[in-house]
Amino acid sequence: RFKNLLLLALCALFYTCGSTPEGEASEEENNAAEKPNVVVIYLDDLGYGDVSAYGQVSLKTPNIDALANGGVRFTNGYASSATCTPSRYALLTGMYPWKNKDAAILPGTAPLIISTSQPTLPKMMAAEGYHTGVVGKWHLGLGSGNVNWNEHVSPGPNEIGFKHSYIMAATQDRVPTVYLENGMVEGLDPNDPIEIDYKNNFDDQPTGKDNPELVEMKWHHGHNNTIVNGIPRIGYMKGGEKAKWSDVDMADHFLVRAQQYVKDHKDEPFFLYYAMQQPHVPRTPHPRFVGKSGMGPRGDVIIEADWCIGEFMKTLREEGLLENTLIVLSSDNGPVLNDGYYDDAVEKIGDHKPAGPLRGGKYSLFEAGTRVPFIAYWEGKIKPQVSDALVCQMDLLPSIAALVGGDAGAVDGKNLLPAFMGESATGREELVLEATSRTALRKGDWIMIPPYKGPAVMKQVQIEPGNSLEYQLYNLSEDIGQQNNLAAENPEKLAEMVAAFEEIRGE
Ligand code: NG6
Ligand code: CA
């Protein structure tokens, strides 16, 4: 019996050697090695401290932890900005968003802010023979102004490099509350056309402001226009009843689309941008996650998002793709508790620290605005490690271009592929950070925030935006919480930082 087995093994060996010359990979293997799939999993408002692998104990995120602990976990990984639209702009174009005056939080009616002629991550991938897809939150504008939501909406993701798109136009708290597939509103009844207006209500429409009795989630600030599914939103919407999404099903809905995308394109190299909506407001966990965190809906949707990531990873595993897929996970900006609805986020936070040791939060030039969970995972390829390299999402376009042999074009991002692959501890030397149109400079371990007028605390969201009439200078290596302003005591360092900042900003 043993002899038979040996014979069989020998035969198998000869057979393999016969089909490909020794030492050379088969064509299939070659293709696989040359064209790894790339998936960017992007969360919305997830803070540096919201992931248990980043030191948090009160909230458990086992599936994100598996990526963080099995790949490169960056401790100095940044979104380019402290709000969504500019960060997404930088991620997809590799450009500093403060160079584009339109890269600010957009209403649902805003035109597309990425020029169809500029280089983008999906375009670069498509040029390298990749199938490219986006599933989830868009918030980069659609159309060229005055969008008619009842016709094909363009330009949008499909015109800047995505061959397939399944998106919500802006945010969960903004109208239109519908999904678009490749530019068409899904499930639209032509007899019930959609009308959208961000200034004026349609006469017969109830609003959060005038009809509190119809509201199931109370608004705290903003968010008092058209009510959809009991939730008052930003902006007015009329019609499109059948096309409206179900908030509690949104996570499952996007997950299934992301999984389907993988299954549909597993036989060709693909790039998927999976842009999840959690934990942005309104936080609407599916009933099976309600109460799971003990922190109210904000904690519950983080657990929901973590579960989705686990399910998505299962799909990659089942399809046999994990060893040929680079997965990057990050968040578009830092955390906020009360972002406009009463949802117990503040009341039930307990000892959880969404920003970890960092100061500020979403909208802030302090670290918590832009320093976010940032993970690169590739099974069998990237060695598990913690990296202190300074990296920004803007660097993904040129770095992934280097991975797949593509051309990134002339962008502000840097090719930091060795850092993303865990082969080098060196990241960028400096980075200009942006928060609600203000900018600051990180260089080495130092941060310089120029003087800005404005409140020290944003009253409604209870976040310190980083404003001061004085220059601020912090040494993050000894003061990660930005408590000691060293500007007065270290004028040389301040001068050096200001000069470097002005040079990059072109001032
Ligand atoms: C703000 C909204 C906030 C959120 C944010 C965008 C108000 C008062 N606040 O204007 O709730 O929607 O925009 O968040 O309307 S982001 O993550 O998409 O940038
Ligand atoms: Ca966001």
Side-chain angles (χ1 to χ4, degrees):
R1 208 192 142 130
F2 177 70
K3 257 192 200 160
N4 279 349
L5 270 180
L6 198 72
L7 209 67
L8 210 71
L10 275 174
C11 283
L13 199 71
F14 275 121
Y15 181 74
T16 344
C17 290
S19 61
T20 41
E22 213 180 334
E24 275 177 43
S26 71
E27 202 181 316
E28 227 165 80
E29 282 165 340
N30 260 336
N31 280 346
E34 279 166 20
K35 298 258 180 255
N37 309 306
V38 177
V39 177
V40 174
I41 302 176
Y42 210 47
L43 288 105
D44 192 356
D45 298 0
L46 187 76
Y48 189 85
D50 279 323
V51 172
S52 34
Y54 276 81
Q56 192 53 236
V57 285
S58 16
L59 194 58
K60 294 271 178 267
T61 52
N63 294 298
I64 301 178
D65 293 357
L67 298 177
N69 298 329
V72 187
R73 176 169 77 79
F74 290 99
T75 60
N76 286 291
Y78 287 83
S80 74
S81 305
T83 56
C84 164
T85 301
S87 286
R88 281 159 211 260
Y89 177 82
L91 168 71
L92 292 183
T93 66
M95 295 301 284
Y96 272 128
W98 43 265
K99 293 186 177 175
N100 179 342
K101 64 168 178 33
D102 297 324
I105 300 175
L106 297 176
T109 43
L112 177 68
I113 62 161
I114 298 177
S115 155
T116 53
S117 61
Q118 88 186 87
T120 67
L121 180 49
K123 260 191 210 169
M124 180 278 294
M125 296 300 266
E128 291 309 305
Y130 277 73
H131 199 281
T132 53
V134 51
V135 172
K137 175 176 176 174
W138 183 240
H139 210 193
L140 286 160
L142 289 169
S144 341
N146 296 320
V147 166
N148 182 346
W149 300 93
N150 308 291
E151 292 172 358
H152 182 246
V153 176
S154 162
N158 298 65
E159 285 67 40
I160 62 121
F162 288 108
K163 295 179 186 170
H164 174 76
S165 68
Y166 190 91
I167 58 166
M168 70 161 135
T171 61
Q172 220 179 326
D173 55 355
R174 284 173 175 74
V175 298
T177 49
V178 296
Y179 300 119
L180 289 102
E181 182 163 22
N182 297 322
M184 296 298 293
V185 169
E186 188 184 52
L188 182 65
D189 173 358
N191 298 318
D192 182 26
I194 295 176
E195 292 176 78
I196 300 292
D197 197 316
Y198 268 70
K199 287 211 181 87
N200 303 305
N201 191 12
F202 303 97
D203 357 291
D204 51 344
Q205 293 272 133
T207 64
K209 190 156 178 267
D210 297 333
N211 304 81
E213 75 285 358
L214 298 178
V215 156
E216 283 158 38
M217 190 188 286
K218 267 177 71 186
W219 57 277
H220 177 271
H221 56 278
H223 306 100
N224 58 17
N225 302 155
T226 297
I227 304 165
V228 181
N229 304 334
I231 303 171
R233 318 272 167 160
I234 308 173
Y236 302 100
M237 173 170 178
K238 191 178 174 183
E241 272 320 310
K242 282 194 184 141
K244 285 180 180 171
W245 66 49
S246 155
D247 292 271
V248 294
D249 292 314
M250 184 178 285
D252 288 337
H253 199 78
F254 283 147
L255 169 63
V256 168
R257 296 299 183 289
Q259 289 172 314
Q260 194 57 49
Y261 180 84
V262 167
K263 289 178 193 161
D264 289 348
H265 300 286
K266 63 181 180 194
D267 295 327
E268 57 189 320
F270 63 81
F271 166 68
L272 173 63
Y273 170 39
Y274 177 18
M276 307 176 75
Q277 87 282 10
Q278 301 107 324
H280 195 283
V281 297
R283 297 154 185 145
T284 55
H286 187 274
R288 66 188 192 280
F289 294 101
V290 171
K292 285 285 182 278
S293 68
M295 285 177 206
R298 184 175 187 277
D300 295 347
V301 297
I302 293 176
I303 288 176
E304 177 188 68
D306 183 74
W307 176 84
C308 290
I309 291 163
E311 293 302 297
F312 179 75
M313 290 301 294
K314 264 188 212 162
T315 300
L316 287 178
R317 189 176 302 281
E318 281 161 14
E319 300 299 340
L321 297 169
L322 270 187
E323 287 177 9
N324 194 34
T325 304
L326 168 66
I327 296 152
V328 177
L329 182 145
S330 199
S331 171
D332 66 342
N333 53 252
V336 54
L337 294 181
N338 182 340
D339 207 13
Y341 294 99
Y342 288 96
D343 66 0
D344 279 349
V346 175
E347 292 76 4
K348 295 196 172 160
I349 194 69
D351 59 1
H352 176 64
K353 301 221 161 15
L358 309 177
R359 185 171 178 183
K362 182 176 181 176
Y363 311 110
S364 181
L365 266 184
F366 288 130
E367 288 295 282
T370 47
R371 204 197 291 205
V372 286
F374 204 139
I375 298 160
Y377 179 91
W378 188 341
E379 201 155 290
K381 197 94 178 190
I382 292 182
K383 288 202 189 75
Q385 64 199 276
V386 176
S387 172
D388 298 333
L390 176 57
V391 297
C392 177
Q393 291 160 8
M394 183 173 67
D395 303 322
L396 287 170
L397 167 51
S399 302
I400 294 172
L403 174 70
V404 304
D407 178 10
V411 293
D412 295 321
K414 296 202 185 311
N415 170 9
L416 301 176
L417 184 62
F420 288 116
M421 294 297 295
E423 289 157 1
S424 163
T426 310
R428 31 167 73 235
E429 175 57 23
E430 82 267 297
L431 174 67
V432 170
L433 299 167
E434 188 260 355
T436 54
S437 303
R438 300 157 303 140
T439 47
L441 178 71
R442 163 115 194 225
K443 191 168 192 292
D445 285 331
W446 294 81
I447 278 269
M448 184 280 296
I449 306 178
Y452 287 106
K453 287 189 201 130
V457 177
M458 296 167 78
K459 240 176 128 187
Q460 291 168 320
V461 293
Q462 282 296 308
I463 286 172
E464 295 178 297
N467 296 326
S468 165
L469 296 178
E470 312 282 320
Y471 275 99
Q472 297 178 72
L473 180 71
Y474 301 100
N475 183 345
L476 297 171
S477 68
E478 51 199 41
D479 179 24
I480 196 173
Q482 297 178 292
Q483 296 301 312
N484 305 312
N485 181 2
L486 302 175
E489 110 191 20
N490 200 336
E492 288 112 72
K493 191 75 196 173
L494 179 63
E496 179 200 320
M497 294 290 285
V498 171
F501 175 71
E502 285 176 353
E503 199 188 317
I504 302 174
R505 291 250 6 181
E507 282 155 3

